Amino acid sequence: MLKKITTAASVIALCALTACGSGSGGTGTGTGSSGGDTITMGFAQVGAESGWRTANTKSIQDEAKAAGIDLKF
């Protein structure tokens, strides 16, 4: 159950952060012209003092890799 909750929270976080990126109509530095742009996302974790934090970190790393996101940890 905890893994499902952690995975769902990770997916929501990834979607929310992806929505913050600059698209082709934005004023960001991305070109928006090529479909192969890699998303870079930062992730900070306070520590690994509990099983939940360790599972959350692993989940974020796994989901970012599966989505092709360049994760800066």
Side-chain angles (χ1 to χ4, degrees):
M1 179 70 171
L2 180 61
K3 184 170 180 159
K4 287 182 181 181
I5 292 171
T6 303
T7 301
S10 299
V11 170
I12 291 169
L14 287 173
C15 290
L17 291 172
T18 301
C20 294
S22 62
S24 59
T27 59
T29 59
T31 61
S33 60
S34 68
D37 290 342
T38 301
I39 296 172
T40 301
M41 180 177 82
F43 176 72
Q45 183 65 275
V46 176
E49 70 276 355
S50 69
W52 183 89
R53 287 197 188 275
T54 302
N56 180 244
T57 298
K58 175 87 170 98
S59 177
I60 290 286
Q61 291 169 332
D62 291 347
E63 292 299 320
K65 184 176 181 180
I69 294 172
D70 179 28
L71 183 67
K72 302 296 183 185
F73 184 73

